[in-house]
Amino acid sequence: MIPLTQVLALVVPFIFGLLIGVLIRRLIGVAIVLLAILLLAVAVGYISPSAAMGIIQSLGYTAYQAAEKLGVLKAMIPYSSLTFIIGLVIGLLIK
């Protein structure tokens, strides 16, 4: 019989990977929708291309700041585990 600690050592990284994969997929979807809205606003003339570039630059800066703050979590994520990678791939593929 497999001890509970070994089961948890396989399941926990898989669940982390699955959740992070789903989060990445949804964030990419939101980014694509926001980009489409921004491009449509430029095409229709609601905002100028230079204003759109300013918005994109400020979003990039905000994303960079968020990534720096989340860097603390990087040490906690078992990204070298095979079960984490499997969970990440499955999370990215789930609709």
Side-chain angles (χ1 to χ4, degrees):
M1 181 160 197
I2 301 173
L4 181 62
T5 55
Q6 287 181 351
V7 172
L8 287 176
L10 292 174
V11 172
V12 170
F14 175 79
I15 292 173
F16 269 121
L18 188 68
L19 293 174
I20 291 171
V22 169
L23 178 65
I24 289 170
R25 181 177 172 89
R26 291 190 184 207
L27 287 175
I28 290 171
V30 168
I32 290 171
V33 169
L34 288 175
L35 183 62
I37 290 170
L38 192 63
L39 290 174
L40 182 63
V42 169
V44 173
Y46 286 137
I47 59 174
S48 68
S50 60
M53 288 304 296
I55 292 170
I56 291 173
Q57 287 175 346
S58 67
L59 286 174
Y61 180 70
T62 304
Y64 177 75
Q65 287 179 329
E68 279 184 340
K69 292 184 182 189
L70 291 175
V72 176
L73 295 177
K74 183 181 176 187
M76 296 172 29
I77 297 172
Y79 55 87
S80 62
S81 170
L82 180 61
T83 55
F84 173 81
I85 295 169
I86 292 170
L88 181 69
V89 169
I90 291 172
L92 288 171
L93 297 175
I94 290 177
K95 284 194 172 187

